[in-house]
Amino acid sequence: HNPLSSSSGINAEYGDLERVDQLEALRRQCIPATTALLVNVLRESGQDQAVVELCDYIASEQYQLYKLFNQQQLKDLLEKVYDSSIKCECDPLQFNEAEQNETSPS
């Protein structure tokens, strides 16, 4: 039995909207927290290039994960990415472009 289905379409629609809101709240809570933990693990294990690559996914317009972070979370992430980019001597703003150049046929 599906709890969202009912004889009234209004209740089902309200339940669907409530579920969407719950999932969005969960994403806003879990993705930034998990990203922060992952960045810390990657940095501690010397995988600074992976930190920069992860940031590229966060910043991607395709995934739009950056929208799930508040201003302070983004600031903290960018500080760590900046430090990692210096350690691995890479430019975080050019990573996506370099990746595309490596994978595209010449």
Side-chain angles (χ1 to χ4, degrees):
H1 179 269
N2 182 352
L4 295 180
S5 65
S6 68
S7 58
S8 168
I10 295 171
N11 289 339
E13 187 175 311
Y14 174 75
D16 290 345
L17 292 176
E18 184 177 19
R19 182 69 177 149
V20 167
D21 288 345
Q22 290 171 345
L23 290 173
E24 183 65 21
L26 190 60
R27 286 172 50 89
R28 286 190 179 280
Q29 181 180 9
C30 293
I31 290 179
T34 303
T35 300
L37 290 172
L38 180 56
V39 165
N40 289 338
V41 168
L42 291 171
R43 292 182 75 212
E44 289 291 324
S45 62
Q47 298 181 54
D48 292 291
Q49 179 67 40
V51 172
V52 176
E53 292 173 23
L54 177 61
C55 186
D56 193 53
Y57 286 107
I58 301 295
S60 165
E61 282 300 317
Q62 179 181 357
Y63 302 110
Q64 299 185 1
L65 295 173
Y66 60 88
K67 291 181 176 181
L68 301 172
F69 291 72
N70 65 36
Q71 189 173 10
Q72 185 61 49
Q73 290 167 328
L74 282 174
K75 182 180 181 231
D76 294 343
L77 176 62
L78 290 175
E79 286 173 358
K80 291 176 182 178
V81 171
Y82 175 76
D83 290 342
S84 289
S85 68
I86 290 172
K87 286 182 184 176
C88 70
E89 298 178 356
C90 61
D91 181 357
L93 299 177
Q94 297 299 318
F95 177 77
N96 194 19
E97 184 178 311
E99 173 101 342
Q100 289 174 352
N101 290 339
E102 290 174 4
T103 59
S104 61
S106 299

